[in-house]
Amino acid sequence: MSKPYNNNFNQSFNDINTTNQFNKKLRALKKYCPQAYKYLLFEYQKEVKDGIYEEELPTSKEFKFVYGQIKIKYEIKNGVPYYQDLEPSQFFMDGYRFDLDVYKGIYYRNNRDKFMINLFLALKNERNYAI
């Protein structure tokens, strides 16, 4: 008796899983960073040549200090874009799983994030540090 599935089944499952993960991150981006989301939808121009690309999206100073620059990674094959990842990946996945609380006007997940927010605000208040 022949096998009902071939090896391509596993590959397509991984592609679906990757797409679902990206969609979850995109929904979190829409909720927590609407400026970057709107830029991605309406203003961003993708490359037309085949290859793998990584682009930075507009990020506020506070978000960049606490979590890092928002980046999108995508691949173009035969002129069709395939989105691979949205960074900071763990922040967006946590933001999708549960609603994040706000501390001093910035979303946070845990005590480490609170510490980084306090550090950012302390450095911002000093005149010698230009953010």
Side-chain angles (χ1 to χ4, degrees):
M1 184 168 183
S2 64
K3 294 181 180 180
Y5 301 109
N6 57 17
N7 290 338
N8 292 335
F9 176 75
N10 291 334
Q11 180 64 32
S12 63
F13 178 74
N14 288 337
D15 290 343
I16 291 170
N17 190 28
T18 303
T19 303
N20 288 340
Q21 293 290 331
F22 180 79
N23 287 337
K24 290 176 182 179
K25 293 175 190 175
L26 194 62
R27 288 180 188 142
L29 176 72
K30 181 180 180 180
K31 182 174 183 176
Y32 298 111
C33 304
Q35 179 186 12
Y37 180 76
K38 288 179 183 179
Y39 175 82
L40 182 64
L41 288 184
F42 301 116
E43 298 177 25
Y44 181 66
Q45 297 295 321
K46 298 170 197 70
E47 296 289 331
V48 292
K49 297 180 183 177
D50 288 355
I52 298 174
Y53 299 96
E54 177 178 304
E55 297 292 331
E56 295 182 353
L57 300 177
T59 309
S60 68
K61 294 176 186 177
E62 297 87 3
F63 191 92
K64 189 183 294 187
F65 185 85
V66 177
Y67 302 108
Q69 178 70 40
I70 299 174
K71 297 178 187 175
I72 186 167
K73 295 180 182 179
Y74 62 97
E75 180 178 7
I76 296 191
K77 292 181 184 176
N78 300 324
V80 178
Y82 296 97
Y83 296 102
Q84 296 175 343
D85 198 13
L86 191 61
E87 294 182 356
S89 186
Q90 191 59 44
F91 173 81
F92 290 127
M93 287 306 296
D94 290 344
Y96 178 79
R97 287 186 194 117
F98 54 88
D99 288 334
L100 300 179
D101 293 326
V102 177
Y103 179 70
K104 297 187 179 181
I106 303 171
Y107 290 103
Y108 75 96
R109 299 171 296 170
N110 51 30
N111 288 332
R112 180 204 172 272
D113 294 345
K114 279 186 173 182
F115 173 78
M116 291 297 290
I117 292 168
N118 286 331
L119 179 63
F120 173 78
L121 295 174
L123 292 173
K124 185 177 177 182
N125 290 335
E126 287 185 20
R127 293 180 181 230
N128 296 335
Y129 186 76
I131 295 179

